[in-house]
Amino acid sequence: MFDHPDYDDHEQVVFARDAAAGLTAIIAVHNTNLGPGLGGCRIWNYCTEAEAVADALRLSRGMTYKAALAGLALGGGKSVILADRSEKTPAMMRAMGRAVDRLAGRYIVAEDVGATVQDIDLMAQETQHVSGRSGRSGDPSPWTAEGVYLSMQAAAQIRWGTDLNGRTVTVKGLGSVGASLCEKLHAAGAVLKVADIRDDAVRRVCDKTGAEAVAAKAAHAQPAEVFAPCALGAGLNPSTIDDIQAEIICGAANNQLATPSDGYLLLGRSILYAPDYLVNAGGVISVAREPLGLTESDAQAKVKEIPETLRRVLKMAAQQGICPGQAADRLAESKFKTAA
Ligand code: NAD
């Protein structure tokens, strides 16, 4: 474990099992210097246990960096349950709640892929260390969309000295965040091109905003001034970066760069890349309201700080001759590594 490629001095990794309840789970707490590790519980039918371990290690580390840059008094944690979502039972969720409770508040569990508000409610019967119960902070997506939108406006100011009015933006992925982002961009006078693998999602956004539908596979290569990846996975890699025509990339998707070095390929093409985990932090800020006791307006103020942090990161990157992703990592590390 200690020489695992994704192990990065994680404070604690727990393998949790409750045979009677059918629970097999891993909880990874990466760093709690700034506060308890907050992070979702992913319920996924992993092909191998090794994949689940890697996911828990990688995702919990990412949460430390995201919370630190967002200025939250929280660390990074994440949990994975090794099961198909069709195998979920109330007993399994309650057993997960007990596993979380044994960490005595060092890890706060929230929703992630495969988990629902109802699952969090079941975990909450066994532990108070949860966020995102029904009737509480609710859907984080509009908060995420707002942070991405404000960041894109800031990037436009930095790049062109103007706002997004009249600029062409391609949005790839029209789910909860992408669709909400499109409405904001439309209201701001941007010209939209949109793509999704679900035709109904494309139709809904086109009807609302007058966007032009484009093919999902070629979305990154559209003639446009901004590209907003809001689907899943690593879309920016050596084979796509060459085809990008946009001058700015700013979107909600996690892990947009296939590898950190792809940030340098973008830099080499003079494309302004707004680091994903910085600009998509609106969601974690929303979820943090419960454990940190933040009011709605406290959280809104934190979302408004996201474009300021982006300016700072881009300035650091330019001064130090590094790509924005690396500058974001350095800034995050300067916050959590010294805060023990
Ligand atoms: P979602 O599941 O609601 O939407 C994702 C959309 O992407 C779906 O409409 C799906 O059909 C589409 N899609 C998937 N593969 C595609 C492809 N190859 N080409 C085009 N479209 C494709 O998810 P979401 O909540 O809107 O999140 C979008 C992204 O933002 C994800 O990467 C997520 O991890 C990230 N994110 C979301 C939040 C949040 O608050 N929801 C917070 C931070 C980061």
Side-chain angles (χ1 to χ4, degrees), residues 42 66 113 139-145 172-179 195-198 201 216-217 229-233 251-255 280-284:
R42 181 164 290 190
K66 188 182 287 207
V113 177
D139 180 8
S141 308
W143 293 77
T144 305
K172 177 179 176 181
L174 305 172
S176 322
V177 180
D196 197 291
I197 47 176
R198 293 183 301 128
K217 272 197 178 140
C230 295
L232 309 174
N254 277 312
N255 304 322
N280 73 15
V284 76

PDB file of all heavy atoms in Angstrom, residues 42 66 113 139-145 172-179 195-198 201 216-217 229-233 251-255 280-284, ligand 1:
ATOM      1  N   ARG A  42     -18.966   6.806  -3.170  1.00  0.00           N
ATOM      2  CA  ARG A  42     -19.239   6.301  -4.519  1.00  0.00           C
ATOM      3  C   ARG A  42     -19.648   4.838  -4.403  1.00  0.00           C
ATOM      4  O   ARG A  42     -18.947   4.053  -3.757  1.00  0.00           O
ATOM      5  CB  ARG A  42     -17.977   6.455  -5.368  1.00  0.00           C
ATOM      6  CG  ARG A  42     -18.133   5.996  -6.788  1.00  0.00           C
ATOM      7  CD  ARG A  42     -17.021   6.507  -7.659  1.00  0.00           C
ATOM      8  NE  ARG A  42     -17.116   7.949  -7.874  1.00  0.00           N
ATOM      9  CZ  ARG A  42     -16.379   8.632  -8.749  1.00  0.00           C
ATOM     10  NH1 ARG A  42     -15.496   7.994  -9.482  1.00  0.00           N
ATOM     11  NH2 ARG A  42     -16.523   9.933  -8.892  1.00  0.00           N
ATOM     12  N   LYS A  66      -9.221  20.417  -3.396  1.00  0.00           N
ATOM     13  CA  LYS A  66     -10.395  21.231  -3.752  1.00  0.00           C
ATOM     14  C   LYS A  66     -10.859  22.064  -2.561  1.00  0.00           C
ATOM     15  O   LYS A  66     -11.109  23.263  -2.683  1.00  0.00           O
ATOM     16  CB  LYS A  66     -11.534  20.307  -4.223  1.00  0.00           C
ATOM     17  CG  LYS A  66     -12.702  21.065  -4.797  1.00  0.00           C
ATOM     18  CD  LYS A  66     -13.851  20.156  -5.211  1.00  0.00           C
ATOM     19  CE  LYS A  66     -13.571  19.361  -6.450  1.00  0.00           C
ATOM     20  NZ  LYS A  66     -14.803  19.007  -7.191  1.00  0.00           N
ATOM     21  N   VAL A 113     -21.402   9.421  -7.091  1.00  0.00           N
ATOM     22  CA  VAL A 113     -22.008   8.560  -8.108  1.00  0.00           C
ATOM     23  C   VAL A 113     -22.557   7.278  -7.459  1.00  0.00           C
ATOM     24  O   VAL A 113     -21.858   6.619  -6.688  1.00  0.00           O
ATOM     25  CB  VAL A 113     -20.937   8.172  -9.168  1.00  0.00           C
ATOM     26  CG1 VAL A 113     -21.511   7.221 -10.210  1.00  0.00           C
ATOM     27  CG2 VAL A 113     -20.383   9.424  -9.822  1.00  0.00           C
ATOM     28  N   ASP A 139     -29.435  19.893  -3.891  1.00  0.00           N
ATOM     29  CA  ASP A 139     -28.628  19.633  -5.089  1.00  0.00           C
ATOM     30  C   ASP A 139     -27.487  20.652  -5.215  1.00  0.00           C
ATOM     31  O   ASP A 139     -27.734  21.859  -5.303  1.00  0.00           O
ATOM     32  CB  ASP A 139     -29.566  19.723  -6.313  1.00  0.00           C
ATOM     33  CG  ASP A 139     -28.835  19.459  -7.614  1.00  0.00           C
ATOM     34  OD1 ASP A 139     -27.660  19.066  -7.571  1.00  0.00           O
ATOM     35  OD2 ASP A 139     -29.466  19.646  -8.676  1.00  0.00           O
ATOM     36  N   PRO A 140     -26.235  20.190  -5.267  1.00  0.00           N
ATOM     37  CA  PRO A 140     -25.115  21.135  -5.379  1.00  0.00           C
ATOM     38  C   PRO A 140     -24.919  21.688  -6.794  1.00  0.00           C
ATOM     39  O   PRO A 140     -24.158  22.643  -6.988  1.00  0.00           O
ATOM     40  CB  PRO A 140     -23.902  20.293  -4.967  1.00  0.00           C
ATOM     41  CG  PRO A 140     -24.287  18.894  -5.288  1.00  0.00           C
ATOM     42  CD  PRO A 140     -25.778  18.796  -5.132  1.00  0.00           C
ATOM     43  N   SER A 141     -25.577  21.099  -7.802  1.00  0.00           N
ATOM     44  CA  SER A 141     -25.262  21.440  -9.206  1.00  0.00           C
ATOM     45  C   SER A 141     -25.415  22.924  -9.538  1.00  0.00           C
ATOM     46  O   SER A 141     -24.545  23.482 -10.226  1.00  0.00           O
ATOM     47  CB  SER A 141     -26.112  20.605 -10.160  1.00  0.00           C
ATOM     48  OG  SER A 141     -25.997  19.261  -9.848  1.00  0.00           O
ATOM     49  N   PRO A 142     -26.496  23.601  -9.110  1.00  0.00           N
ATOM     50  CA  PRO A 142     -26.585  25.027  -9.455  1.00  0.00           C
ATOM     51  C   PRO A 142     -25.430  25.833  -8.879  1.00  0.00           C
ATOM     52  O   PRO A 142     -24.984  26.809  -9.479  1.00  0.00           O
ATOM     53  CB  PRO A 142     -27.919  25.461  -8.816  1.00  0.00           C
ATOM     54  CG  PRO A 142     -28.689  24.210  -8.589  1.00  0.00           C
ATOM     55  CD  PRO A 142     -27.674  23.133  -8.366  1.00  0.00           C
ATOM     56  N   TRP A 143     -24.924  25.424  -7.732  1.00  0.00           N
ATOM     57  CA  TRP A 143     -23.777  26.119  -7.120  1.00  0.00           C
ATOM     58  C   TRP A 143     -22.520  25.878  -7.961  1.00  0.00           C
ATOM     59  O   TRP A 143     -21.705  26.790  -8.157  1.00  0.00           O
ATOM     60  CB  TRP A 143     -23.539  25.588  -5.700  1.00  0.00           C
ATOM     61  CG  TRP A 143     -24.637  25.920  -4.749  1.00  0.00           C
ATOM     62  CD1 TRP A 143     -25.864  25.308  -4.671  1.00  0.00           C
ATOM     63  CD2 TRP A 143     -24.631  26.938  -3.756  1.00  0.00           C
ATOM     64  NE1 TRP A 143     -26.602  25.889  -3.679  1.00  0.00           N
ATOM     65  CE2 TRP A 143     -25.877  26.880  -3.098  1.00  0.00           C
ATOM     66  CE3 TRP A 143     -23.688  27.874  -3.340  1.00  0.00           C
ATOM     67  CZ2 TRP A 143     -26.206  27.743  -2.055  1.00  0.00           C
ATOM     68  CZ3 TRP A 143     -24.006  28.731  -2.296  1.00  0.00           C
ATOM     69  CH2 TRP A 143     -25.257  28.663  -1.674  1.00  0.00           C
ATOM     70  N   THR A 144     -22.385  24.647  -8.439  1.00  0.00           N
ATOM     71  CA  THR A 144     -21.231  24.337  -9.289  1.00  0.00           C
ATOM     72  C   THR A 144     -21.295  25.156 -10.573  1.00  0.00           C
ATOM     73  O   THR A 144     -20.293  25.744 -11.009  1.00  0.00           O
ATOM     74  CB  THR A 144     -21.221  22.821  -9.618  1.00  0.00           C
ATOM     75  OG1 THR A 144     -21.240  22.100  -8.400  1.00  0.00           O
ATOM     76  CG2 THR A 144     -19.995  22.429 -10.423  1.00  0.00           C
ATOM     77  N   ALA A 145     -22.487  25.205 -11.165  1.00  0.00           N
ATOM     78  CA  ALA A 145     -22.647  25.958 -12.424  1.00  0.00           C
ATOM     79  C   ALA A 145     -22.317  27.434 -12.215  1.00  0.00           C
ATOM     80  O   ALA A 145     -21.670  28.065 -13.055  1.00  0.00           O
ATOM     81  CB  ALA A 145     -24.077  25.799 -12.941  1.00  0.00           C
ATOM     82  N   LYS A 172     -19.966  20.855 -23.563  1.00  0.00           N
ATOM     83  CA  LYS A 172     -20.100  19.408 -23.783  1.00  0.00           C
ATOM     84  C   LYS A 172     -20.577  18.757 -22.493  1.00  0.00           C
ATOM     85  O   LYS A 172     -19.896  18.837 -21.473  1.00  0.00           O
ATOM     86  CB  LYS A 172     -18.754  18.813 -24.195  1.00  0.00           C
ATOM     87  CG  LYS A 172     -18.804  17.305 -24.375  1.00  0.00           C
ATOM     88  CD  LYS A 172     -17.462  16.761 -24.795  1.00  0.00           C
ATOM     89  CE  LYS A 172     -17.504  15.247 -24.881  1.00  0.00           C
ATOM     90  NZ  LYS A 172     -16.226  14.675 -25.266  1.00  0.00           N
ATOM     91  N   GLY A 173     -21.773  18.141 -22.526  1.00  0.00           N
ATOM     92  CA  GLY A 173     -22.362  17.538 -21.332  1.00  0.00           C
ATOM     93  C   GLY A 173     -23.431  18.459 -20.792  1.00  0.00           C
ATOM     94  O   GLY A 173     -23.148  19.540 -20.253  1.00  0.00           O
ATOM     95  N   LEU A 174     -24.687  18.030 -20.970  1.00  0.00           N
ATOM     96  CA  LEU A 174     -25.809  18.909 -20.604  1.00  0.00           C
ATOM     97  C   LEU A 174     -26.629  18.293 -19.480  1.00  0.00           C
ATOM     98  O   LEU A 174     -27.861  18.236 -19.534  1.00  0.00           O
ATOM     99  CB  LEU A 174     -26.675  19.165 -21.849  1.00  0.00           C
ATOM    100  CG  LEU A 174     -25.897  19.727 -23.050  1.00  0.00           C
ATOM    101  CD1 LEU A 174     -26.770  19.772 -24.294  1.00  0.00           C
ATOM    102  CD2 LEU A 174     -25.345  21.119 -22.729  1.00  0.00           C
ATOM    103  N   GLY A 175     -25.921  17.794 -18.459  1.00  0.00           N
ATOM    104  CA  GLY A 175     -26.603  17.254 -17.286  1.00  0.00           C
ATOM    105  C   GLY A 175     -26.952  18.380 -16.330  1.00  0.00           C
ATOM    106  O   GLY A 175     -27.176  19.530 -16.744  1.00  0.00           O
ATOM    107  N   SER A 176     -26.972  18.067 -15.042  1.00  0.00           N
ATOM    108  CA  SER A 176     -27.402  19.050 -14.046  1.00  0.00           C
ATOM    109  C   SER A 176     -26.573  20.322 -14.125  1.00  0.00           C
ATOM    110  O   SER A 176     -27.112  21.426 -14.093  1.00  0.00           O
ATOM    111  CB  SER A 176     -27.264  18.480 -12.635  1.00  0.00           C
ATOM    112  OG  SER A 176     -27.603  17.141 -12.603  1.00  0.00           O
ATOM    113  N   VAL A 177     -25.253  20.191 -14.243  1.00  0.00           N
ATOM    114  CA  VAL A 177     -24.407  21.390 -14.256  1.00  0.00           C
ATOM    115  C   VAL A 177     -24.405  22.051 -15.629  1.00  0.00           C
ATOM    116  O   VAL A 177     -24.611  23.262 -15.756  1.00  0.00           O
ATOM    117  CB  VAL A 177     -22.947  21.062 -13.833  1.00  0.00           C
ATOM    118  CG1 VAL A 177     -22.095  22.315 -13.852  1.00  0.00           C
ATOM    119  CG2 VAL A 177     -22.909  20.413 -12.464  1.00  0.00           C
ATOM    120  N   GLY A 178     -24.189  21.255 -16.676  1.00  0.00           N
ATOM    121  CA  GLY A 178     -24.064  21.804 -18.031  1.00  0.00           C
ATOM    122  C   GLY A 178     -25.307  22.575 -18.456  1.00  0.00           C
ATOM    123  O   GLY A 178     -25.209  23.673 -19.026  1.00  0.00           O
ATOM    124  N   ALA A 179     -26.488  22.027 -18.160  1.00  0.00           N
ATOM    125  CA  ALA A 179     -27.729  22.690 -18.581  1.00  0.00           C
ATOM    126  C   ALA A 179     -27.897  24.023 -17.853  1.00  0.00           C
ATOM    127  O   ALA A 179     -28.281  25.040 -18.444  1.00  0.00           O
ATOM    128  CB  ALA A 179     -28.921  21.772 -18.312  1.00  0.00           C
ATOM    129  N   ALA A 195     -23.468  19.896 -26.853  1.00  0.00           N
ATOM    130  CA  ALA A 195     -23.371  18.490 -27.226  1.00  0.00           C
ATOM    131  C   ALA A 195     -23.635  17.605 -26.019  1.00  0.00           C
ATOM    132  O   ALA A 195     -23.253  17.941 -24.894  1.00  0.00           O
ATOM    133  CB  ALA A 195     -21.962  18.203 -27.751  1.00  0.00           C
ATOM    134  N   ASP A 196     -24.315  16.509 -26.284  1.00  0.00           N
ATOM    135  CA  ASP A 196     -24.522  15.487 -25.247  1.00  0.00           C
ATOM    136  C   ASP A 196     -24.818  14.187 -25.978  1.00  0.00           C
ATOM    137  O   ASP A 196     -25.241  14.219 -27.132  1.00  0.00           O
ATOM    138  CB  ASP A 196     -25.690  15.864 -24.311  1.00  0.00           C
ATOM    139  CG  ASP A 196     -25.667  15.061 -23.017  1.00  0.00           C
ATOM    140  OD1 ASP A 196     -25.914  13.844 -23.065  1.00  0.00           O
ATOM    141  OD2 ASP A 196     -25.389  15.641 -21.949  1.00  0.00           O
ATOM    142  N   ILE A 197     -24.576  13.056 -25.296  1.00  0.00           N
ATOM    143  CA  ILE A 197     -24.919  11.789 -25.946  1.00  0.00           C
ATOM    144  C   ILE A 197     -26.414  11.493 -25.793  1.00  0.00           C
ATOM    145  O   ILE A 197     -26.924  10.580 -26.416  1.00  0.00           O
ATOM    146  CB  ILE A 197     -24.075  10.617 -25.379  1.00  0.00           C
ATOM    147  CG1 ILE A 197     -24.064  10.660 -23.852  1.00  0.00           C
ATOM    148  CG2 ILE A 197     -22.642  10.688 -25.914  1.00  0.00           C
ATOM    149  CD1 ILE A 197     -23.344   9.490 -23.208  1.00  0.00           C
ATOM    150  N   ARG A 198     -27.111  12.287 -24.983  1.00  0.00           N
ATOM    151  CA  ARG A 198     -28.575  12.111 -24.815  1.00  0.00           C
ATOM    152  C   ARG A 198     -29.291  13.176 -25.654  1.00  0.00           C
ATOM    153  O   ARG A 198     -29.187  14.376 -25.379  1.00  0.00           O
ATOM    154  CB  ARG A 198     -28.973  12.285 -23.345  1.00  0.00           C
ATOM    155  CG  ARG A 198     -28.435  11.184 -22.441  1.00  0.00           C
ATOM    156  CD  ARG A 198     -28.898  11.342 -21.018  1.00  0.00           C
ATOM    157  NE  ARG A 198     -28.500  12.612 -20.438  1.00  0.00           N
ATOM    158  CZ  ARG A 198     -29.326  13.469 -19.837  1.00  0.00           C
ATOM    159  NH1 ARG A 198     -30.610  13.208 -19.746  1.00  0.00           N
ATOM    160  NH2 ARG A 198     -28.862  14.594 -19.324  1.00  0.00           N
ATOM    161  N   ALA A 201     -31.594  15.669 -23.788  1.00  0.00           N
ATOM    162  CA  ALA A 201     -30.907  16.748 -23.056  1.00  0.00           C
ATOM    163  C   ALA A 201     -30.524  17.871 -24.029  1.00  0.00           C
ATOM    164  O   ALA A 201     -30.657  19.062 -23.717  1.00  0.00           O
ATOM    165  CB  ALA A 201     -29.660  16.194 -22.363  1.00  0.00           C
ATOM    166  N   ALA A 216     -21.200  15.155 -30.210  1.00  0.00           N
ATOM    167  CA  ALA A 216     -20.462  15.054 -28.949  1.00  0.00           C
ATOM    168  C   ALA A 216     -18.981  14.750 -29.191  1.00  0.00           C
ATOM    169  O   ALA A 216     -18.109  15.323 -28.537  1.00  0.00           O
ATOM    170  CB  ALA A 216     -21.100  13.986 -28.061  1.00  0.00           C
ATOM    171  N   LYS A 217     -18.701  13.856 -30.120  1.00  0.00           N
ATOM    172  CA  LYS A 217     -17.301  13.438 -30.347  1.00  0.00           C
ATOM    173  C   LYS A 217     -16.424  14.589 -30.829  1.00  0.00           C
ATOM    174  O   LYS A 217     -15.214  14.589 -30.593  1.00  0.00           O
ATOM    175  CB  LYS A 217     -17.268  12.304 -31.380  1.00  0.00           C
ATOM    176  CG  LYS A 217     -17.408  10.952 -30.740  1.00  0.00           C
ATOM    177  CD  LYS A 217     -16.958   9.860 -31.687  1.00  0.00           C
ATOM    178  CE  LYS A 217     -17.063   8.522 -30.963  1.00  0.00           C
ATOM    179  NZ  LYS A 217     -17.548   7.456 -31.791  1.00  0.00           N
ATOM    180  N   PRO A 229     -15.950  21.718 -20.844  1.00  0.00           N
ATOM    181  CA  PRO A 229     -16.209  20.287 -20.660  1.00  0.00           C
ATOM    182  C   PRO A 229     -17.051  20.061 -19.395  1.00  0.00           C
ATOM    183  O   PRO A 229     -16.604  20.353 -18.289  1.00  0.00           O
ATOM    184  CB  PRO A 229     -14.815  19.677 -20.481  1.00  0.00           C
ATOM    185  CG  PRO A 229     -13.831  20.772 -20.804  1.00  0.00           C
ATOM    186  CD  PRO A 229     -14.550  22.061 -20.537  1.00  0.00           C
ATOM    187  N   CYS A 230     -18.268  19.583 -19.585  1.00  0.00           N
ATOM    188  CA  CYS A 230     -19.164  19.349 -18.435  1.00  0.00           C
ATOM    189  C   CYS A 230     -19.723  17.933 -18.471  1.00  0.00           C
ATOM    190  O   CYS A 230     -20.789  17.663 -17.899  1.00  0.00           O
ATOM    191  CB  CYS A 230     -20.306  20.363 -18.438  1.00  0.00           C
ATOM    192  SG  CYS A 230     -19.759  22.067 -18.197  1.00  0.00           S
ATOM    193  N   ALA A 231     -19.021  17.024 -19.192  1.00  0.00           N
ATOM    194  CA  ALA A 231     -19.462  15.624 -19.206  1.00  0.00           C
ATOM    195  C   ALA A 231     -18.598  14.850 -18.211  1.00  0.00           C
ATOM    196  O   ALA A 231     -18.342  15.343 -17.119  1.00  0.00           O
ATOM    197  CB  ALA A 231     -19.359  15.081 -20.629  1.00  0.00           C
ATOM    198  N   LEU A 232     -18.156  13.674 -18.576  1.00  0.00           N
ATOM    199  CA  LEU A 232     -17.393  12.859 -17.633  1.00  0.00           C
ATOM    200  C   LEU A 232     -15.987  12.627 -18.165  1.00  0.00           C
ATOM    201  O   LEU A 232     -15.759  12.662 -19.365  1.00  0.00           O
ATOM    202  CB  LEU A 232     -18.083  11.504 -17.430  1.00  0.00           C
ATOM    203  CG  LEU A 232     -19.578  11.577 -17.075  1.00  0.00           C
ATOM    204  CD1 LEU A 232     -20.183  10.197 -17.054  1.00  0.00           C
ATOM    205  CD2 LEU A 232     -19.776  12.253 -15.716  1.00  0.00           C
ATOM    206  N   GLY A 233     -15.064  12.391 -17.256  1.00  0.00           N
ATOM    207  CA  GLY A 233     -13.764  11.849 -17.622  1.00  0.00           C
ATOM    208  C   GLY A 233     -12.781  12.782 -18.285  1.00  0.00           C
ATOM    209  O   GLY A 233     -13.021  13.966 -18.481  1.00  0.00           O
ATOM    210  N   GLY A 251     -14.643  24.432 -17.506  1.00  0.00           N
ATOM    211  CA  GLY A 251     -15.843  23.614 -17.382  1.00  0.00           C
ATOM    212  C   GLY A 251     -15.888  22.879 -16.060  1.00  0.00           C
ATOM    213  O   GLY A 251     -14.940  22.928 -15.273  1.00  0.00           O
ATOM    214  N   ALA A 252     -16.997  22.163 -15.835  1.00  0.00           N
ATOM    215  CA  ALA A 252     -17.243  21.544 -14.537  1.00  0.00           C
ATOM    216  C   ALA A 252     -16.660  20.148 -14.383  1.00  0.00           C
ATOM    217  O   ALA A 252     -16.485  19.680 -13.257  1.00  0.00           O
ATOM    218  CB  ALA A 252     -18.753  21.450 -14.300  1.00  0.00           C
ATOM    219  N   ALA A 253     -16.397  19.465 -15.487  1.00  0.00           N
ATOM    220  CA  ALA A 253     -16.019  18.053 -15.377  1.00  0.00           C
ATOM    221  C   ALA A 253     -14.780  17.880 -14.503  1.00  0.00           C
ATOM    222  O   ALA A 253     -13.856  18.695 -14.564  1.00  0.00           O
ATOM    223  CB  ALA A 253     -15.766  17.476 -16.764  1.00  0.00           C
ATOM    224  N   ASN A 254     -14.786  16.825 -13.706  1.00  0.00           N
ATOM    225  CA  ASN A 254     -13.617  16.508 -12.878  1.00  0.00           C
ATOM    226  C   ASN A 254     -12.565  15.824 -13.738  1.00  0.00           C
ATOM    227  O   ASN A 254     -12.902  15.114 -14.684  1.00  0.00           O
ATOM    228  CB  ASN A 254     -14.027  15.547 -11.755  1.00  0.00           C
ATOM    229  CG  ASN A 254     -14.633  16.287 -10.581  1.00  0.00           C
ATOM    230  OD1 ASN A 254     -14.089  17.284 -10.110  1.00  0.00           O
ATOM    231  ND2 ASN A 254     -15.777  15.820 -10.098  1.00  0.00           N
ATOM    232  N   ASN A 255     -11.309  16.009 -13.390  1.00  0.00           N
ATOM    233  CA  ASN A 255     -10.203  15.301 -14.060  1.00  0.00           C
ATOM    234  C   ASN A 255     -10.217  15.464 -15.579  1.00  0.00           C
ATOM    235  O   ASN A 255     -10.178  14.499 -16.335  1.00  0.00           O
ATOM    236  CB  ASN A 255     -10.227  13.801 -13.705  1.00  0.00           C
ATOM    237  CG  ASN A 255     -10.174  13.590 -12.213  1.00  0.00           C
ATOM    238  OD1 ASN A 255      -9.480  14.312 -11.507  1.00  0.00           O
ATOM    239  ND2 ASN A 255     -10.936  12.638 -11.720  1.00  0.00           N
ATOM    240  N   ASN A 280     -14.840  24.173 -10.287  1.00  0.00           N
ATOM    241  CA  ASN A 280     -16.074  23.418  -9.998  1.00  0.00           C
ATOM    242  C   ASN A 280     -16.325  23.247  -8.498  1.00  0.00           C
ATOM    243  O   ASN A 280     -17.103  22.393  -8.090  1.00  0.00           O
ATOM    244  CB  ASN A 280     -16.095  22.075 -10.756  1.00  0.00           C
ATOM    245  CG  ASN A 280     -15.135  21.041 -10.179  1.00  0.00           C
ATOM    246  OD1 ASN A 280     -14.634  21.163  -9.066  1.00  0.00           O
ATOM    247  ND2 ASN A 280     -14.888  19.994 -10.959  1.00  0.00           N
ATOM    248  N   ALA A 281     -15.705  24.098  -7.675  1.00  0.00           N
ATOM    249  CA  ALA A 281     -15.812  23.934  -6.216  1.00  0.00           C
ATOM    250  C   ALA A 281     -17.131  24.439  -5.632  1.00  0.00           C
ATOM    251  O   ALA A 281     -17.376  24.281  -4.437  1.00  0.00           O
ATOM    252  CB  ALA A 281     -14.653  24.653  -5.531  1.00  0.00           C
ATOM    253  N   GLY A 282     -17.997  25.024  -6.458  1.00  0.00           N
ATOM    254  CA  GLY A 282     -19.284  25.503  -5.927  1.00  0.00           C
ATOM    255  C   GLY A 282     -20.060  24.394  -5.222  1.00  0.00           C
ATOM    256  O   GLY A 282     -20.692  24.619  -4.187  1.00  0.00           O
ATOM    257  N   GLY A 283     -19.987  23.191  -5.771  1.00  0.00           N
ATOM    258  CA  GLY A 283     -20.728  22.062  -5.190  1.00  0.00           C
ATOM    259  C   GLY A 283     -20.228  21.712  -3.798  1.00  0.00           C
ATOM    260  O   GLY A 283     -21.019  21.538  -2.870  1.00  0.00           O
ATOM    261  N   VAL A 284     -18.908  21.635  -3.636  1.00  0.00           N
ATOM    262  CA  VAL A 284     -18.387  21.270  -2.311  1.00  0.00           C
ATOM    263  C   VAL A 284     -18.660  22.396  -1.314  1.00  0.00           C
ATOM    264  O   VAL A 284     -18.908  22.149  -0.120  1.00  0.00           O
ATOM    265  CB  VAL A 284     -16.886  20.869  -2.354  1.00  0.00           C
ATOM    266  CG1 VAL A 284     -15.956  22.039  -2.486  1.00  0.00           C
ATOM    267  CG2 VAL A 284     -16.513  20.077  -1.116  1.00  0.00           C
TER     268      VAL A 284
HETATM  269  P1  NAD B   1     -24.753  14.632 -14.936  1.00  0.00           P
HETATM  270  O1  NAD B   1     -24.612  13.140 -14.809  1.00  0.00           O
HETATM  271  O2  NAD B   1     -26.013  15.286 -14.510  1.00  0.00           O
HETATM  272  O3  NAD B   1     -24.468  15.083 -16.440  1.00  0.00           O
HETATM  273  C1  NAD B   1     -23.441  14.574 -17.226  1.00  0.00           C
HETATM  274  C2  NAD B   1     -23.913  14.714 -18.677  1.00  0.00           C
HETATM  275  O4  NAD B   1     -22.823  14.364 -19.528  1.00  0.00           O
HETATM  276  C3  NAD B   1     -25.077  13.793 -19.018  1.00  0.00           C
HETATM  277  O5  NAD B   1     -26.098  14.529 -19.647  1.00  0.00           O
HETATM  278  C4  NAD B   1     -24.437  12.773 -19.971  1.00  0.00           C
HETATM  279  O6  NAD B   1     -25.358  12.279 -20.947  1.00  0.00           O
HETATM  280  C5  NAD B   1     -23.352  13.611 -20.592  1.00  0.00           C
HETATM  281  N1  NAD B   1     -22.277  12.822 -21.178  1.00  0.00           N
HETATM  282  C6  NAD B   1     -21.657  11.725 -20.692  1.00  0.00           C
HETATM  283  N2  NAD B   1     -20.705  11.311 -21.545  1.00  0.00           N
HETATM  284  C7  NAD B   1     -20.707  12.183 -22.587  1.00  0.00           C
HETATM  285  C8  NAD B   1     -19.946  12.300 -23.770  1.00  0.00           C
HETATM  286  N3  NAD B   1     -18.981  11.421 -24.076  1.00  0.00           N
HETATM  287  N4  NAD B   1     -20.217  13.308 -24.613  1.00  0.00           N
HETATM  288  C9  NAD B   1     -21.203  14.229 -24.335  1.00  0.00           C
HETATM  289  N5  NAD B   1     -21.966  14.163 -23.218  1.00  0.00           N
HETATM  290  C10 NAD B   1     -21.714  13.157 -22.361  1.00  0.00           C
HETATM  291  O7  NAD B   1     -23.491  15.212 -14.159  1.00  0.00           O
HETATM  292  P2  NAD B   1     -23.340  16.681 -13.558  1.00  0.00           P
HETATM  293  O8  NAD B   1     -23.747  16.642 -12.141  1.00  0.00           O
HETATM  294  O9  NAD B   1     -23.921  17.674 -14.493  1.00  0.00           O
HETATM  295  O10 NAD B   1     -21.744  16.804 -13.557  1.00  0.00           O
HETATM  296  C11 NAD B   1     -21.036  17.074 -14.765  1.00  0.00           C
HETATM  297  C12 NAD B   1     -19.547  16.972 -14.498  1.00  0.00           C
HETATM  298  O11 NAD B   1     -19.172  17.907 -13.501  1.00  0.00           O
HETATM  299  C13 NAD B   1     -19.070  15.613 -13.970  1.00  0.00           C
HETATM  300  O12 NAD B   1     -17.781  15.349 -14.464  1.00  0.00           O
HETATM  301  C14 NAD B   1     -19.016  15.819 -12.474  1.00  0.00           C
HETATM  302  O13 NAD B   1     -18.088  14.941 -11.860  1.00  0.00           O
HETATM  303  C15 NAD B   1     -18.550  17.242 -12.403  1.00  0.00           C
HETATM  304  N6  NAD B   1     -18.927  17.943 -11.162  1.00  0.00           N
HETATM  305  C16 NAD B   1     -20.226  18.051 -10.814  1.00  0.00           C
HETATM  306  C17 NAD B   1     -20.581  18.718  -9.632  1.00  0.00           C
HETATM  307  C18 NAD B   1     -22.025  18.876  -9.224  1.00  0.00           C
HETATM  308  O14 NAD B   1     -22.303  19.700  -8.342  1.00  0.00           O
HETATM  309  N7  NAD B   1     -22.951  18.152  -9.822  1.00  0.00           N
HETATM  310  C19 NAD B   1     -19.574  19.259  -8.819  1.00  0.00           C
HETATM  311  C20 NAD B   1     -18.244  19.171  -9.219  1.00  0.00           C
HETATM  312  C21 NAD B   1     -17.931  18.485 -10.392  1.00  0.00           C
END
